[in-house]
Amino acid sequence: MTGWHPVTLAAGLEPGTAEGTRLFGRELVVWRDESGQSHVWEDRCPHRGMRLSFGFVRGDRLACLYHGWQFDGAGQCRHIPSHPALTVPGTIRAPVEPSAERLGMVWTGAGPGLPPDEAAVPVRSLALRVPGERVFAALDVGKGMRSGTLVILQHGARRLAAAVQTLSETESTLHLAILGDAADHRGAGQAEISLWAEALRRTLEEA
Amino acid sequence: MAQAVILFTGDFAPDAFGAFVQHRAARLDLAATLLDSAADRIRVAVSGAPEMIDAFEMACSLGPLSCLVRDVTRSVA
């Protein structure tokens, strides 16, 4: 996998929660610890393969639902409930992916291309039953400015960040945020963009 | 630090079981040495944290798909 890919809206990922998602068919867990730091990992406990997105956040650790193994923010297993006195070997780790928050979204990836940070008002994420490339085409990239998985486009008086997450060969998620301050775009601005995105989805899925 | 010798008996693809043993030992931070490796018995010497040796025995009692572990006998090294 190259470049950077959005996996969720940052505002929707509350401290102390975890959610599952996919990227090119890979299962990922996106979680936010109680201090506010977000994380993206492979969604698989190294113990018995349970999805970590079914687990619970405990402070700065993610605990697997199955046997309660706890992993710190670096993915290192720190606590095994059935062996509370054990110093867990450094070899027991959850696979951690690089991650960052930009434009009101959580991103994962590698190398150059991470979007610059800019104030953004989150709108919504829409699941689409179409390939990611079709979403890019529909965003009228000729008028927008595409960089990797992000398109910056003008919608009336508002500038939008539209980022496309490819879930699989046939499914994608469109993450939307309005660039600028909340005072200018919250409420009516979010509703306007949300309705536009729903119409876009209908057009794409019915085509 | 603890040491043990674990004898697995059953029906084995020795190479597959040996690879499985080494992978699980590395995951559990154990040193593992194959002492015997045959189609009906695999004997492994392991050392490391006692809890991890227990976990190793459990993991290997399942084994890879190509092998069937019928019995496990553990002795002190």
Side-chain angles (χ1 to χ4, degrees), chain B:
Chain B
M1 178 76 82
Q3 295 180 316
V5 172
I6 305 176
L7 172 64
F8 302 94
T9 54
D11 303 311
F12 299 105
D15 289 349
F17 200 82
F20 188 90
V21 159
Q22 294 300 343
H23 177 271
R24 294 305 188 274
R27 171 68 59 84
L28 299 169
D29 199 25
L30 299 173
T33 305
L34 281 171
L35 302 176
D36 293 316
S37 183
D40 61 347
R41 56 185 275 126
I42 305 278
R43 202 160 61 99
V44 187
V46 288
S47 61
E51 296 92 340
M52 296 295 100
I53 293 178
D54 292 341
F56 175 81
E57 180 183 332
M58 175 62 74
C60 292
S61 70
L62 300 173
L65 275 177
S66 56
C67 302
L68 176 63
V69 178
R70 297 187 186 278
D71 198 17
V72 182
T73 308
R74 183 159 152 182
S75 56
V76 177

